[in-house]
């Protein structure tokens, strides 16, 4: 059977996650890591928008590494260090314990299991120079949700080209109880995970979102 473009992209993303060392974050060997995510393939292929192109801000699907084989959340600080733009490694402008305080907001349910798929992802250039607070209200009204820290890291791990100068993005669905909103942008040619205030707009910072999350069967 001939592989579809979605099959090819699924395999490419597994390869990108593996090359970045994500199996080690879960505690699984490379082959077991790929096997653990393989059941997502059929769900992604069956999704009506898995091969749809909506423009330069759009990614049909993104595979997310969420938990270790023992069920603990992955180390986002370590995962961020494994991202890269070219040869330049990413970094988090947080202490590990501080970053671990950022959890999914109440309205977002992250699927259980080692991983899942984000569907119909958009990096949100339409929200450049719009406050995260306003962007969240707009996305909620459209039935979309912002990305979590882990989801944003997964996005730039498999698609580093989507982190673009003056078109970077906030991660609206992770918060730690204050007014900070985590965001991904480029600093000194490196991917940076930092934060901005919920009520502050930035001309170079939009808000990424997804239409939904597909769990492992």
């Amino acid at each position: 059977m001939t592989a579809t473009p979605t099959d090819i992209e699924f395999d490419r993303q597994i390869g990108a996650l593996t090359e970045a060392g994500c199996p080690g974050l879960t505690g699984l060997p490379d082959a077991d890591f790929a096997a653990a995510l393989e059941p997502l393939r059929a769900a992604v292929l069956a999704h009506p928008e898995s091969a749809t192109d909506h423009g330069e801000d759009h990614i049909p699907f993104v595979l997310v590494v969420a938990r270790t084989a023992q069920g603990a959340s992955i180390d986002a600080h370590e995962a961020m260090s494994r991202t890269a733009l070219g040869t330049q490694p990413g970094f988090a402008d947080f202490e590990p314990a501080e970053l671990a305080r950022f959890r999914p907001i109440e309205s977002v349910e992250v699927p259980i299991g080692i991983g899942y798929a984000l569907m119909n992802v958009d990096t949100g250039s339409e929200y450049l120079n719009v406050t995260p607070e306003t962007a969240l209200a707009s996305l909620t009204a459209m039935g979309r949700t912002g990305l979590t820290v882990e989801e944003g890291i997964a996005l730039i791990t498999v698609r580093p080209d989507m982190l673009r100068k003056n078109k970077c993005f906030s991660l609206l669905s992770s918060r730690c109880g204050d007014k900070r909103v985590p965001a991904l942008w480029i600093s000194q040619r490196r991917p940076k995970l930092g934060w901005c205030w919920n009520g502050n707009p930035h001309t170079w910072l939009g808000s990424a979102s997804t239409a939904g999350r597909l769990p492992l069967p």
Side-chain angles (χ1 to χ4, degrees):
M1 184 179 294
T2 303
T4 68
T6 302
D7 276 309
I8 293 169
E9 174 60 13
F10 189 97
D11 290 336
R12 190 201 65 80
Q13 289 195 22
I14 292 290
L17 292 168
T18 300
E19 185 175 353
C22 293
L25 297 175
T26 69
L28 292 175
D30 292 357
D32 290 351
F33 172 79
L37 293 180
E38 179 60 29
L40 284 170
R41 185 189 299 268
V44 170
L45 283 166
H47 196 278
E49 294 198 14
S50 63
T52 303
D53 185 356
H54 292 299
E56 66 175 12
D57 286 355
H58 179 255
I59 308 95
F61 69 93
V62 172
L63 300 179
V64 180
V65 181
R67 295 181 178 85
T68 69
Q70 291 73 40
S73 297
I74 66 162
D75 185 334
H77 199 276
E78 179 64 23
M80 186 63 200
S81 74
R82 301 182 185 208
T83 64
L85 282 177
T87 61
Q88 301 299 311
F91 69 103
D93 194 17
F94 297 91
E95 293 298 322
E98 180 186 20
L99 182 56
R101 291 177 51 217
F102 283 83
R103 308 302 301 163
I105 60 176
E106 191 172 314
S107 59
V108 169
E109 184 175 351
V110 174
I112 62 173
I114 284 176
Y116 57 94
L118 291 178
M119 302 305 300
N120 189 358
V121 180
D122 194 284
T123 55
S125 291
E126 66 185 285
Y127 295 108
L128 294 171
N129 208 30
V130 174
T131 68
E133 182 177 31
T134 299
L136 180 60
S138 173
L139 290 166
T140 300
M142 291 190 292
R144 296 179 64 85
T145 61
L147 303 191
T148 66
V149 164
E150 292 78 12
E151 292 166 353
I153 293 171
L155 168 56
I156 66 169
T157 300
V158 300
R159 289 290 305 272
D161 60 301
M162 299 307 290
L163 191 60
R164 298 162 289 172
K165 183 179 180 181
N166 297 324
K167 286 190 176 182
C168 302
F169 45 88
S170 294
L171 306 171
L172 303 176
S173 288
S174 285
R175 303 294 175 91
C176 69
D178 57 23
K179 296 294 184 180
R180 292 181 296 170
V181 179
L184 288 163
W185 67 87
I186 301 170
S187 178
Q188 299 178 339
R189 302 182 181 179
R190 300 170 63 189
K192 175 180 176 177
L193 175 63
W195 60 270
C196 294
W197 296 115
N198 193 37
N200 284 5
H202 295 279
T203 58
W204 45 271
L205 198 60
S207 291
S209 66
T210 180
R213 297 164 174 84
L214 292 181
L216 279 164

